[in-house]
Amino acid sequence: YQEETGYEEYDDYQYAEQGDTMAGQQQGPMNPDDLSQYVVSDQFSKEYHCSLCNTFKAPRPSKVKNHLEAIHFPGQFIYSCDICDKTLAGRNALNIHKSTVHSKKSKF
């Protein structure tokens, strides 16, 4: 899956429950895979960009999806750490948590 889309598949997310949406307001993605609809590939520069703001560009679609989660849909998805069960808002926050709190390097 990651090779095909450049985006890791995560099953440890929960959709954050939202209150009633306002009339005409877009609900947004229901799961992290839905973010793909906002990732656009530029064949000339071999980069990907965010179709919502057209300002964020990255060499991999996974980076654009992290941007989408953090900037355009903050708090939309809640991730649980598979080691300590801590919940975090966003895939990037989960990755940072795992690399700092559960680092395999011994601390002196």
Side-chain angles (χ1 to χ4, degrees):
Y1 182 80
Q2 183 178 6
E3 290 177 22
E4 179 181 310
T5 63
Y7 196 55
E8 293 179 22
E9 187 171 13
Y10 284 84
D11 291 329
D12 55 351
Y13 78 91
Q14 302 168 358
Y15 183 69
E17 302 234 353
Q18 302 289 324
D20 292 338
T21 56
M22 296 169 50
Q25 183 179 0
Q26 181 180 0
Q27 181 163 341
M30 293 299 292
N31 68 59
D33 291 332
D34 291 343
L35 295 172
S36 295
Q37 65 186 313
Y38 306 110
V39 178
V40 179
S41 173
D42 183 341
Q43 296 175 350
F44 297 109
S45 67
K46 296 184 179 178
E47 287 187 318
Y48 298 86
H49 71 270
C50 171
S51 67
L52 295 179
C53 65
N54 289 315
T55 57
F56 185 84
K57 294 180 181 178
R60 295 186 310 200
S62 60
K63 298 296 183 187
V64 178
K65 289 182 181 181
N66 284 341
H67 159 80
L68 284 158
E69 263 193 29
I71 304 302
H72 300 294
F73 302 104
Q76 186 93 18
F77 307 108
I78 306 300
Y79 294 84
S80 296
C81 176
D82 59 349
I83 299 169
C84 70
D85 291 328
K86 180 174 180 165
T87 57
L88 300 114
R91 177 184 329 276
N92 198 42
L94 174 64
N95 290 335
I96 291 170
H97 164 77
K98 283 184 172 183
S99 68
T100 57
V101 176
H102 304 299
S103 173
K104 291 182 181 180
K105 295 178 183 177
S106 61
K107 297 179 182 178
F108 294 99

